[in-house]
Amino acid sequence: SSGINAEYGKFKELGMWNNTLMLYMSDNGGLNDSYHSNRPLKGYKFQQFEGGIRTPAFLYSANQDILAVRGRTACYVHISDWYSTLVEFTGGWDAYTASTGKVPISELDSINQLELLITGELDTCQRTEIMVNIDPVRRTAVYIKEDFKLLFGNQWDHAKCKTNLFYPFNVSGVDWSIVQLYNITGDAAETTNLAEYYPDVVQQLYEVILLFMDAQEPLKCQLPDVDNSFPNEVVPFCLPWDFPDGVTPSWATYALLD
């Protein structure tokens, strides 16, 4: 693209290209319009089918001392993994702490994929499962483990948040009656629903989704209009809302879409 060409030209101009590692990635698939196509994958941006969440990514360096391997991998690499991977690439967590003064976050859901991506000498994939999404507004949930991807709810639902409503992460927040199970290793286009043939897999992944639900705060469409809430003049963007000590204020009304 013109943007990548512009960046390439600037790095060359500054004499930095041979000392650069370039990471290209995307956050989602294309929209459902006449300008985008995610074929042969099914689905679009805002959906949890592979067309909405599986995107190309690559690392490149003109300097083989930085990146010697040239190849591809079928292993899962989640967008969150780039955090730990790039920290390791730039010296590891000790160097991170020394340069920033910050202590690494405990229980960080980010896997260091450096060995796989830089050396290609990893016999087994580091990441074998992905909690894709739990959406109590559209009442959907999606989880991937190894070859299987389990989807609950109507993935074509375009419901949106309603102002000042809270959407709790509990069993009533997902439509469990619509079940799809795909082997995305052999069927990346998600053409064959295997749910009725592998009920044990459906049950296993369903139980994992419930565990993730238990760890979530309620979702609110817009932040409460109270003193010192965000966004404000100091912090001009939205931040997650956490209730002190897990106590829900009286003004927090729970509601679900019908």
Side-chain angles (χ1 to χ4, degrees), residues 180-195:
Q180 299 174 73
L181 180 71
Y182 299 103
N183 181 332
I184 55 174
T185 301
D187 180 23
E190 296 168 296
T191 60
T192 306
N193 186 356
L194 303 173

Side-chain angles (χ1 to χ4, degrees), residues 6-155:
E7 292 176 2
Y8 166 74
K10 193 63 176 180
F11 275 91
K12 291 281 287 187
E13 176 187 332
L14 296 173
M16 299 171 60
W17 184 242
N18 287 332
N19 192 35
T20 294
L21 176 71
M22 181 177 73
L23 165 60
Y24 175 91
M25 62 180 177
S26 178
D27 56 347
N28 48 252
L31 289 165
N32 183 10
D33 57 32
S34 58
Y35 299 101
H36 300 88
S37 174
N38 302 316
R39 294 180 179 178
L41 303 179
K42 179 167 67 176
Y44 303 91
K45 179 180 179 178
F46 302 123
Q47 294 178 328
Q48 308 307 314
F49 292 118
E50 291 297 274
I53 65 173
R54 180 185 289 203
T55 61
F58 66 82
L59 289 169
Y60 175 79
S61 178
N63 186 343
Q64 290 200 358
D65 290 335
I66 295 177
L67 183 65
V69 172
R70 298 293 186 269
R72 59 189 300 171
T73 178
C75 293
Y76 295 133
V77 178
H78 189 266
I79 192 169
S80 64
D81 295 340
W82 292 116
Y83 182 31
S84 293
T85 301
L86 293 176
V87 166
E88 184 66 23
F89 181 80
T90 54
W93 288 108
D94 289 341
Y96 172 87
T97 300
S99 62
T100 65
K102 298 179 180 179
V103 177
I105 301 171
S106 62
E107 298 182 3
L108 184 66
D109 186 15
S110 176
I111 296 176
N112 172 19
Q113 302 269 16
L114 188 67
E115 187 176 356
L116 168 67
L117 299 173
I118 302 299
T119 70
E121 296 176 356
L122 203 61
D123 294 332
T124 58
C125 297
Q126 291 284 81
R127 179 178 287 280
T128 59
E129 52 190 318
I130 300 174
M131 180 66 255
V132 179
N133 195 34
I134 302 174
D135 187 340
V137 178
R138 297 179 179 175
R139 305 190 67 212
T140 60
V142 182
Y143 184 71
I144 294 172
K145 183 171 183 180
E146 298 173 346
D147 295 335
F148 289 104
K149 178 180 178 183
L150 179 64
L151 305 94
F152 284 109
N154 179 8
Q155 301 300 318

Side-chain angles (χ1 to χ4, degrees), residues 165-170 217-219 243 248-249 251-256:
L165 294 186
F166 276 80
Y167 299 85
F169 285 87
N170 57 32
E217 295 284 354
L219 171 68
F243 300 128
T248 304
W251 47 259
T253 303
Y254 285 79
L256 286 171

Side-chain angles (χ1 to χ4, degrees), residues 189-227:
E190 296 168 296
T191 60
T192 306
N193 186 356
L194 303 173
E196 64 177 302
Y197 304 107
Y198 295 94
D200 54 334
V201 175
V202 171
Q203 181 64 28
Q204 179 187 9
L205 302 192
Y206 162 74
E207 292 176 1
V208 176
I209 291 174
L210 293 182
L211 292 176
F212 274 95
M213 278 186 162
D214 289 341
Q216 304 305 311
E217 295 284 354
L219 171 68
K220 191 175 189 296
C221 302
Q222 296 180 0
L223 293 170
D225 185 14
V226 296
D227 293 340

